[in-house]
Amino acid sequence: MTDDSRSPADQIRQRLTLLREQRQVLVTLQGQNLGELQLDVEQALVELDDLLQEGDRLFPPAVPAES
């Protein structure tokens, strides 16, 4: 479920965080003997890392407001 009170940028930042957490699945697969699928897993990691980098560039982490 999404929180509609958050800005679109905050929603994207949250999705980037979820992708970072799910990236570990690919890292785990990378350590296994997958035969021909090994190249696909490695390519997926490269592309996911590129996507996360671009996401961080476009939507840098929000700076918390000082109290």
Side-chain angles (χ1 to χ4, degrees):
M1 218 179 332
T2 61
D3 180 359
D4 293 333
S5 65
R6 291 177 298 142
S7 73
D10 286 339
Q11 291 175 17
I12 291 172
R13 285 184 194 102
Q14 181 183 22
R15 289 181 185 199
L16 289 170
T17 299
L18 291 172
L19 283 173
R20 278 189 188 79
E21 293 168 3
Q22 294 170 348
R23 180 186 180 277
Q24 187 58 42
V25 173
L26 289 173
V27 172
T28 300
L29 285 174
Q30 187 181 30
Q32 298 178 11
N33 183 11
L34 300 174
E36 291 181 25
L37 290 177
Q38 189 72 35
L39 290 174
D40 293 330
V41 170
E42 290 173 9
Q43 184 65 33
L45 272 169
V46 168
E47 291 181 20
L48 181 57
D49 288 343
D50 288 347
L51 174 71
L52 291 171
Q53 259 185 344
E54 187 69 10
D56 287 342
R57 186 182 71 77
L58 293 171
F59 301 97
V63 178
E66 293 186 30
S67 303

